[in-house]
Amino acid sequence: MTEQLRELYQQVILDHNRNPRNFHELEHATKKVDGYNPLCGDHYTIYVEIDGNTIKDIGFTGNGCAISKASASVMSATLKGSTIAEARQLFDVFHKLVTGEPGSLSTAELGRLAAFSGVSEFPARVKCASLPWHTLNSAIEGDKETVSTE
Amino acid sequence: MTTATGTLPRSASLIQDFLDVDRIRDDFPILHHPVRGGRALVYLDNAATTQKPRQVIDRIVRYYSEENSNVHRGVHYLSEVATDAYEKARTTVKRFIGASDEKEIVFTRGTTEGINLVAQSWGRKNVGAGDEILITAIEHHSNIVPWQLLCEEKGARLRVAPVNDSGELVLEEFARLLTPRTKLVAFGHASNALGTINPIRKMIGLAHAAGAVVLIDGAQGVPHLHIDVRDLDCDFYAFSGHKVYGPTGTGVLYGKEAILDAMPPWQGGGDMILSVSFEKTTYNALPYKFEAGTPNIEGVVGLAAALDYVSAIGIDAIATHEQDLLHYATKRLLAVEGVRIIGTAAEKASVISFVLEGVHPHDIGTILDQEGIAIRTGHHCAQPLMMRFNVPATARASFAMYNTREEADALIVGLQKVMELFR
Ligand SMILES: Cc1ncc(COP(=O)(O)O)c(C=O)c1O
């Protein structure tokens, strides 16, 4: 096993892949968006319940690789209860993290998100990690019902 | 297991093999070029594209070093040399697939372009409202979408013959779907996603008996099987150069002369005309009618070198070797816990699609890649087929003449690492 692979498949990712959090539909969803990666067939539906400026609840269903599933799971656990402004900020932080751009947050501040720091070494997998975030972003911004990585 | 030098140790098991795999491997420079920080390349993505032997690479270099010019245009020396090389390549292709005449060999960019040519030229002229086009459930998107576009435009109907759980065509259903309305039947010689080899001789016979014209998508046929289009009696046969050790951007559309002759041109431009005035243009003879513009001369010349290379080794010897790898790798894969092979037809080309319980194919691909093992993961441009088997994607290992049993072993070791990580 190479060091890079260990960095990619960190325990947090393997754990969230095996036991995804919030892996269900939301009964009271105010918005539901499909995210699709035509290249590898990853497909998720993200449900959000937005109350004013707060993401009250997030759920997701679908199918894809460990990176995308763990990303959706960690995202849902991280953003549940946060404000839209916070979500936008973390979207930006996450994007920088997986594309290897220098970010403003330390590993400690990143918390669970830090588990995705290995992704930037795998250009082919960046889209896997960012698909759920793009999908959620679209749910928040409310412009589309389907998001595609291509 | 893997070494930095780019060659894998060879066991005694291959000594009785028909091919001198070591010598063949020596012909392919890329197989000796390390990947991922010094690992030997184990290239098992041959159904996507094959690697190129030195003979092909050298031929292209020689073309540009000594022969480059435009074809069919100049009176000067180089134009003659280039035209001669280009047309000799046509003869090489003609012989390779057993066509009657050079006029029946149209050079294209690949299988996709060949199929689109037939759909747009033959199809637009001969398919009308209420007519039907029959394909099968294992088709590559490039043998689905051109027909959908045609059907949409003409108000015709696309019918799909089903496969059974092994991925074999249900021949009775295929026969039942042939009706007097069926104008054209199009199917793959072999499936890139499952490996299934179709009983094309029977299918051609049935389609002809129903009065339909037959197109074969030979992208996965030509690299593995002996082709004789006259003996098969198919009306069209399309394939890609890059899947048979030739350059990308090359392909061949074979068509029976009488059928090609009656077809309108597809694209307009230079080379495809006899005379042009603003009132009327007279089209050139076959096959030039279908080759508008400056062709991929370098590629076509390289394709001929690739077919010569395959002929020198012998397609039957290649097939025997690949079948040995197919059976060996299948047996070893089935011994790995959690592996399920998708596509278990009795007749298969050297393609194995599989899924591993609890691990997405994309993750398998990334982990194997770290070991220098190249496989394909995804839907293999056959989404309807993936749906048929109820999998979003598969991992696919596909073998060529230069692959070895040791490389199949490396795949198994790699999968064991995948299992360790995901257990
Ligand atoms: C069965 C089959 N048909 C058609 C194609 C399309 O070939 P190309 O992309 O070279 O045009 C492929 C290539 O993936 C194939 O495997």
Side-chain angles (χ1 to χ4, degrees):
Chain A
M1 197 66 46
T2 64
E3 196 50 41
Q4 275 188 337
L5 265 189
R6 272 186 231 286
E7 280 293 309
L8 178 64
Y9 292 107
Q10 297 183 21
Q11 271 316 316
V12 173
I13 291 182
L14 293 172
D15 170 51
H16 277 260
N17 175 51
R18 226 173 269 131
N19 307 300
R21 322 293 197 266
N22 307 303
F23 192 49
H24 48 68
E25 297 181 14
L26 280 195
E27 207 181 318
H28 303 291
T30 50
K31 184 92 194 194
K32 162 188 154 199
V33 176
D34 282 334
Y36 188 55
N37 181 344
L39 208 65
C40 49
D42 288 359
H43 190 178
Y44 293 99
T45 305
I46 305 233
Y47 303 82
V48 282
E49 185 184 343
I50 295 175
D51 184 8
N53 279 324
T54 308
I55 301 173
K56 245 176 101 181
D57 206 355
I58 307 185
F60 74 101
T61 57
N63 199 311
C65 65
I67 306 298
S68 61
K69 188 175 268 179
S71 172
S73 172
V74 168
M75 176 184 81
S76 69
T78 307
L79 294 186
K80 211 183 212 183
S82 62
T83 65
I84 301 229
E86 285 164 339
R88 280 197 188 118
Q89 197 197 347
L90 279 177
F91 175 80
D92 191 51
V93 164
F94 188 80
H95 186 75
K96 286 201 171 111
L97 179 72
V98 296
T99 53
E101 272 181 64
S104 50
L105 297 189
S106 68
T107 308
E109 288 167 314
L110 282 169
R112 271 176 298 214
L113 295 186
F116 293 89
S117 58
V119 173
S120 64
E121 293 294 322
F122 292 80
R125 306 306 298 272
V126 171
K127 281 177 180 170
C128 306
S130 56
L131 174 65
W133 286 84
H134 279 293
T135 311
L136 178 84
N137 191 47
S138 168
I140 291 173
E141 308 303 341
D143 50 352
K144 282 194 216 115
E145 268 159 25
T146 308
V147 178
S148 163
T149 56
E150 297 305 300
Chain B
M1 177 72 236
T2 44
T3 62
T5 58
T7 1
L8 289 157
R10 190 91 354 92
S11 79
S13 64
L14 284 173
I15 287 173
Q16 331 98 317
D17 210 313
F18 287 71
L19 294 189
D20 188 344
V21 181
D22 279 324
R23 261 187 66 189
I24 289 174
R25 290 182 72 83
D26 280 345
D27 286 335
F28 288 80
I30 209 169
L31 298 179
H32 308 282
H33 189 74
V35 295
R36 292 274 176 235
R39 279 163 197 281
L41 170 67
V42 176
Y43 187 75
L44 302 180
D45 193 17
N46 295 285
T49 198
T50 52
Q51 299 302 344
K52 320 305 171 198
R54 203 171 347 99
Q55 287 79 347
V56 170
I57 300 166
D58 289 352
R59 182 66 191 88
I60 295 170
V61 170
R62 181 153 65 85
Y63 171 75
Y64 278 126
S65 309
E66 300 172 10
E67 304 169 357
N68 176 52
S69 182
N70 210 328
V71 291
H72 306 138
R73 307 208 172 165
V75 290
H76 58 77
Y77 173 75
L78 282 181
S79 177
E80 224 168 75
V81 174
T83 303
D84 190 49
Y86 186 75
E87 291 305 324
K88 278 210 174 100
R90 208 185 296 278
T91 305
T92 303
V93 172
K94 179 197 84 168
R95 292 211 185 103
F96 192 83
I97 63 169
S100 310
D101 198 287
E102 279 79 0
K103 288 181 195 145
E104 299 179 321
I105 306 299
V106 177
F107 286 120
T108 64
R109 280 195 301 131
T111 309
T112 304
E113 190 173 71
I115 297 173
N116 278 282
L117 192 163
V118 174
Q120 295 299 313
S121 168
W122 187 92
R124 276 182 160 163
K125 184 170 175 195
N126 294 289
V127 175
D131 287 342
E132 292 183 357
I133 290 169
L134 178 60
I135 61 173
T136 84
I138 61 168
E139 301 314 318
H140 187 279
H141 293 164
S142 66
N143 199 26
I144 302 174
V145 184
W147 308 120
Q148 279 176 331
L149 290 169
L150 177 66
C151 286
E152 214 164 278
E153 179 184 322
K154 294 291 183 177
R157 187 167 172 211
L158 189 63
R159 311 292 312 259
V160 183
V163 292
N164 64 22
D165 290 341
S166 308
E168 292 166 326
L169 179 78
V170 184
L171 204 60
E172 308 78 66
E173 284 297 307
F174 175 80
R176 205 181 55 76
L177 285 163
L178 287 163
T179 76
R181 287 185 301 275
T182 315
K183 282 286 171 335
L184 181 128
V185 184
F187 45 85
H189 196 160
S191 158
N192 65 303
L194 306 183
T196 311
I197 297 174
N198 267 325
I200 64 168
R201 200 178 289 277
K202 275 190 205 146
M203 296 166 77
I204 294 166
L206 286 166
H208 279 168
V213 159
V214 176
L215 175 138
I216 295 177
D217 168 356
Q220 302 294 339
V222 171
H224 310 291
L225 299 157
H226 176 77
I227 312 292
D228 185 330
V229 288
R230 242 179 313 173
D231 181 47
L232 286 170
D233 195 33
C234 54
D235 301 296
F236 297 106
Y237 193 104
F239 68 95
S240 300
H242 71 96
K243 292 187 199 274
V244 59
Y245 312 101
T248 51
T250 63
V252 172
L253 174 69
Y254 158 83
K256 281 183 184 162
E257 186 179 342
I259 297 179
L260 286 178
D261 213 26
M263 283 160 54
W266 182 46
Q267 292 174 332
D271 255 0
M272 56 76 70
I273 48 87
L274 272 186
S275 70
V276 177
S277 72
F278 287 116
E279 289 69 41
K280 181 162 173 57
T281 290
T282 313
Y283 304 122
N284 204 341
L286 287 179
Y288 311 107
K289 184 167 83 174
F290 295 109
E291 291 181 5
T294 301
N296 181 358
I297 309 168
E298 138 219 346
V300 160
V301 167
L303 171 59
L307 297 183
D308 282 341
Y309 184 81
V310 169
S311 297
I313 289 166
I315 193 77
D316 293 334
I318 292 171
T320 306
H321 175 69
E322 289 176 346
Q323 287 292 311
D324 173 71
L325 292 173
L326 172 69
H327 295 304
Y328 179 77
T330 301
K331 207 172 80 198
R332 291 225 53 192
L333 269 170
L334 286 173
V336 178
E337 204 189 314
V339 163
R340 183 160 62 94
I341 291 180
I342 311 289
T344 49
E347 299 283 329
K348 275 179 70 169
S350 46
V351 170
I352 310 178
S353 243
F354 62 95
V355 291
L356 190 54
E357 202 186 324
V359 190
H360 193 276
H362 212 175
D363 296 310
I364 300 175
T366 293
I367 295 166
L368 293 180
D369 176 56
Q370 290 290 304
E371 304 289 323
I373 304 169
I375 62 158
R376 175 79 178 266
T377 67
H379 53 59
H380 317 295
C381 297
Q383 284 181 326
L385 184 63
M386 296 290 113
M387 261 178 247
R388 161 67 178 79
F389 284 91
N390 220 353
V391 288
T394 73
R396 181 188 72 187
S398 51
F399 299 87
M401 62 164 114
Y402 41 66
N403 289 125
T404 64
R405 284 191 176 202
E406 285 71 17
E407 289 180 309
D409 292 339
L411 172 67
I412 303 299
V413 172
L415 286 177
Q416 278 153 358
K417 291 190 178 161
V418 174
M419 295 299 280
E420 265 167 47
L421 188 66
F422 275 84
R423 189 171 294 138

